[in-house]
Short mmCIF file of all heavy atoms in Angstrom, two decimals:
data_model
loop_
_atom_site.label_atom_id
_atom_site.label_comp_id
_atom_site.label_asym_id
_atom_site.label_seq_id
_atom_site.Cartn_x
_atom_site.Cartn_y
_atom_site.Cartn_z
N GLY A 482 -16.57 0.95 31.32
CA GLY A 482 -15.18 0.81 30.97
C GLY A 482 -14.92 1.20 29.53
O GLY A 482 -13.92 1.84 29.18
N SER A 483 -15.86 0.87 28.65
CA SER A 483 -15.68 1.20 27.21
C SER A 483 -15.73 2.72 27.03
O SER A 483 -14.95 3.29 26.26
CB SER A 483 -16.81 0.53 26.40
OG SER A 483 -16.67 -0.88 26.41
N PHE A 484 -16.69 3.34 27.68
CA PHE A 484 -16.80 4.83 27.60
C PHE A 484 -15.51 5.48 28.10
O PHE A 484 -14.95 6.37 27.47
CB PHE A 484 -18.01 5.32 28.37
CG PHE A 484 -18.12 6.80 28.41
CD1 PHE A 484 -18.42 7.53 27.28
CD2 PHE A 484 -17.97 7.52 29.61
CE1 PHE A 484 -18.55 8.92 27.33
CE2 PHE A 484 -18.12 8.86 29.65
CZ PHE A 484 -18.36 9.59 28.51
N THR A 485 -15.05 5.00 29.26
CA THR A 485 -13.82 5.58 29.82
C THR A 485 -12.60 5.34 28.92
O THR A 485 -11.78 6.23 28.71
CB THR A 485 -13.56 5.00 31.25
OG1 THR A 485 -14.70 5.22 32.07
CG2 THR A 485 -12.32 5.57 31.86
N GLN A 486 -12.53 4.15 28.38
CA GLN A 486 -11.42 3.81 27.48
C GLN A 486 -11.35 4.74 26.31
O GLN A 486 -10.27 5.30 25.95
CB GLN A 486 -11.55 2.36 26.99
CG GLN A 486 -10.40 1.89 26.13
CD GLN A 486 -10.55 0.43 25.74
OE1 GLN A 486 -11.30 -0.31 26.33
NE2 GLN A 486 -9.81 0.01 24.72
N LEU A 487 -12.47 5.01 25.67
CA LEU A 487 -12.46 5.88 24.50
C LEU A 487 -12.20 7.34 24.85
O LEU A 487 -11.52 8.06 24.13
CB LEU A 487 -13.74 5.72 23.69
CG LEU A 487 -13.74 6.46 22.33
CD1 LEU A 487 -12.52 6.09 21.49
CD2 LEU A 487 -15.03 6.11 21.54
N THR A 488 -12.71 7.77 25.99
CA THR A 488 -12.45 9.19 26.40
C THR A 488 -10.97 9.36 26.62
O THR A 488 -10.38 10.42 26.27
CB THR A 488 -13.22 9.56 27.66
OG1 THR A 488 -12.85 8.68 28.74
CG2 THR A 488 -14.72 9.53 27.46
N ILE A 489 -10.31 8.37 27.17
CA ILE A 489 -8.87 8.49 27.44
C ILE A 489 -8.08 8.45 26.15
O ILE A 489 -7.10 9.16 25.96
CB ILE A 489 -8.40 7.36 28.43
CG1 ILE A 489 -9.02 7.60 29.78
CG2 ILE A 489 -6.90 7.27 28.48
CD1 ILE A 489 -8.82 6.47 30.77
N VAL A 490 -8.51 7.63 25.20
CA VAL A 490 -7.87 7.61 23.87
C VAL A 490 -7.95 9.00 23.23
O VAL A 490 -6.99 9.51 22.64
CB VAL A 490 -8.51 6.56 22.94
CG1 VAL A 490 -8.07 6.77 21.50
CG2 VAL A 490 -8.15 5.14 23.43
N MET A 491 -9.09 9.67 23.31
CA MET A 491 -9.34 10.85 22.53
C MET A 491 -8.86 12.17 23.27
O MET A 491 -8.64 13.16 22.56
CB MET A 491 -10.83 11.01 22.27
CG MET A 491 -11.42 9.92 21.38
SD MET A 491 -10.62 9.79 19.77
CE MET A 491 -10.95 11.43 19.10
N LYS A 492 -8.63 12.09 24.53
CA LYS A 492 -8.53 13.37 25.30
C LYS A 492 -7.34 14.24 24.90
O LYS A 492 -7.41 15.44 25.05
CB LYS A 492 -8.45 13.07 26.78
CG LYS A 492 -7.14 12.42 27.27
CD LYS A 492 -7.05 12.31 28.75
CE LYS A 492 -5.71 11.77 29.16
NZ LYS A 492 -4.60 12.66 28.78
N GLY A 493 -6.24 13.65 24.41
CA GLY A 493 -5.07 14.47 24.16
C GLY A 493 -4.62 14.48 22.71
O GLY A 493 -3.48 14.82 22.44
N LEU A 494 -5.47 14.03 21.79
CA LEU A 494 -5.04 13.91 20.41
C LEU A 494 -5.08 15.22 19.66
O LEU A 494 -6.11 15.92 19.69
CB LEU A 494 -5.90 12.88 19.69
CG LEU A 494 -5.85 11.46 20.20
CD1 LEU A 494 -6.69 10.53 19.29
CD2 LEU A 494 -4.43 10.93 20.26
N PRO A 495 -4.02 15.58 18.96
CA PRO A 495 -4.07 16.76 18.09
C PRO A 495 -4.86 16.44 16.83
O PRO A 495 -5.07 15.30 16.50
CB PRO A 495 -2.57 17.03 17.77
CG PRO A 495 -2.00 15.65 17.82
CD PRO A 495 -2.72 14.91 18.88
N LEU A 496 -5.33 17.49 16.14
CA LEU A 496 -5.92 17.24 14.83
C LEU A 496 -4.87 16.87 13.82
O LEU A 496 -3.71 17.31 13.89
CB LEU A 496 -6.65 18.54 14.41
CG LEU A 496 -7.79 19.02 15.26
CD1 LEU A 496 -8.40 20.27 14.68
CD2 LEU A 496 -8.84 17.97 15.44
N ALA A 497 -5.09 15.97 12.83
CA ALA A 497 -6.44 15.45 12.57
C ALA A 497 -6.51 13.97 13.04
O ALA A 497 -6.83 13.68 14.16
CB ALA A 497 -6.82 15.60 11.14
N TYR A 498 -6.07 13.06 12.15
CA TYR A 498 -6.15 11.66 12.48
C TYR A 498 -4.84 11.17 13.13
O TYR A 498 -3.76 11.59 12.68
CB TYR A 498 -6.41 10.78 11.23
CG TYR A 498 -6.52 9.31 11.54
CD1 TYR A 498 -7.75 8.77 11.97
CD2 TYR A 498 -5.46 8.47 11.40
CE1 TYR A 498 -7.85 7.42 12.28
CE2 TYR A 498 -5.52 7.12 11.70
CZ TYR A 498 -6.73 6.59 12.17
OH TYR A 498 -6.85 5.24 12.47
N SER A 499 -4.95 10.38 14.18
CA SER A 499 -3.81 9.71 14.78
C SER A 499 -4.18 8.21 14.88
O SER A 499 -5.37 7.85 15.04
CB SER A 499 -3.52 10.24 16.17
OG SER A 499 -3.15 11.61 16.07
N LYS A 500 -3.14 7.37 14.83
CA LYS A 500 -3.41 5.93 14.85
C LYS A 500 -4.05 5.47 16.15
O LYS A 500 -4.66 4.41 16.21
CB LYS A 500 -2.09 5.18 14.62
CG LYS A 500 -2.28 3.70 14.25
CD LYS A 500 -2.91 3.48 12.87
CE LYS A 500 -2.90 2.06 12.44
NZ LYS A 500 -3.31 1.85 11.08
N ASP A 501 -3.92 6.30 17.21
CA ASP A 501 -4.57 5.96 18.47
C ASP A 501 -6.06 5.67 18.26
O ASP A 501 -6.66 4.85 18.94
CB ASP A 501 -4.53 7.16 19.45
CG ASP A 501 -3.16 7.77 19.61
OD1 ASP A 501 -2.51 8.04 18.61
OD2 ASP A 501 -2.75 7.97 20.77
N MET A 502 -6.64 6.35 17.24
CA MET A 502 -8.09 6.24 17.04
C MET A 502 -8.51 4.87 16.51
O MET A 502 -9.71 4.56 16.46
CB MET A 502 -8.54 7.35 16.11
CG MET A 502 -8.42 8.71 16.75
SD MET A 502 -8.41 10.11 15.62
CE MET A 502 -10.10 10.02 15.05
N GLN A 503 -7.52 4.06 16.11
CA GLN A 503 -7.84 2.66 15.81
C GLN A 503 -8.43 1.92 17.00
O GLN A 503 -9.17 0.96 16.84
CB GLN A 503 -6.59 1.96 15.30
CG GLN A 503 -6.82 0.50 14.87
CD GLN A 503 -5.60 -0.04 14.14
OE1 GLN A 503 -5.37 0.28 12.98
NE2 GLN A 503 -4.86 -0.90 14.82
N GLU A 504 -8.13 2.46 18.21
CA GLU A 504 -8.62 1.83 19.43
C GLU A 504 -10.04 2.21 19.79
O GLU A 504 -10.51 2.00 20.88
CB GLU A 504 -7.70 2.16 20.59
CG GLU A 504 -6.30 1.60 20.48
CD GLU A 504 -6.29 0.06 20.49
OE1 GLU A 504 -6.98 -0.52 21.33
OE2 GLU A 504 -5.64 -0.53 19.62
N ASP A 505 -10.74 2.88 18.86
CA ASP A 505 -12.11 3.31 19.12
C ASP A 505 -13.10 2.17 18.94
O ASP A 505 -14.17 2.18 19.50
CB ASP A 505 -12.51 4.49 18.21
CG ASP A 505 -12.31 4.21 16.74
OD1 ASP A 505 -11.89 3.06 16.37
OD2 ASP A 505 -12.56 5.13 15.91
N LYS A 506 -12.73 1.18 18.14
CA LYS A 506 -13.74 0.22 17.68
C LYS A 506 -13.99 -0.90 18.69
O LYS A 506 -15.18 -1.21 18.98
CB LYS A 506 -13.36 -0.38 16.32
CG LYS A 506 -13.33 0.66 15.24
CD LYS A 506 -12.63 0.17 13.99
CE LYS A 506 -12.20 1.35 13.13
NZ LYS A 506 -11.16 2.18 13.80
#
Side-chain angles (χ1 to χ4, degrees):
S483 295
F484 175 67
T485 302
Q486 183 177 343
L487 188 50
T488 59
I489 292 171
V490 167
M491 297 301 300
K492 71 173 184 62
L494 296 185
L496 297 180
Y498 182 83
S499 297
K500 195 69 170 188
D501 310 50
M502 293 162 67
Q503 183 168 285
E504 294 297 313
D505 57 1
K506 296 166 200 65

